[in-house]
Amino acid sequence: MSTFTILYFAAASSYTGRSSDSLPAPLAASKLFPLLEQKYPGITKKVLDSCLVTVNLEYVDIPGASGASTPEEEDVVIEAGSEVAIIPPVSSG
């Protein structure tokens, strides 16, 4: 089975109890948050609603993540071997 790696940082790592996972590829980016919600119930509201996402070090918008999707949103396909990062907001003092 083909997979991609997802890296969890800060609150995402704390919530999942992991620093990374392997998930099945290919996967449309619009299906990423529902898949993570199924695997880690409650993560959408607690973490994903306020996080940034990168695919292969490039920031991407997750269609539908902020509510209703718009027609101009492009749904990136996460391919096998890709690296995805979930980056929650961080604060500094």
Side-chain angles (χ1 to χ4, degrees), residues 10-57:
S13 178
S14 296
Y15 194 91
T16 63
R18 306 181 65 132
S19 60
S20 66
D21 264 330
S22 289
L23 297 177
L27 181 72
S30 61
K31 298 188 184 317
L32 179 62
F33 286 8
L35 178 65
L36 292 174
E37 180 65 29
Q38 182 180 6
K39 191 171 173 110
Y40 303 105
I43 194 170
T44 300
K45 188 170 183 113
K46 296 279 188 180
V47 178
L48 300 178
D49 280 348
S50 61
C51 74
L52 296 174
V53 177
T54 64
V55 176
N56 297 325
L57 302 177

Side-chain angles (χ1 to χ4, degrees), residues 7 9 53-60 82-85 87:
L7 305 174
F9 293 96
V53 177
T54 64
V55 176
N56 297 325
L57 302 177
E58 291 191 29
Y59 287 101
V60 297
S82 292
E83 181 180 82
V84 174
I87 307 168

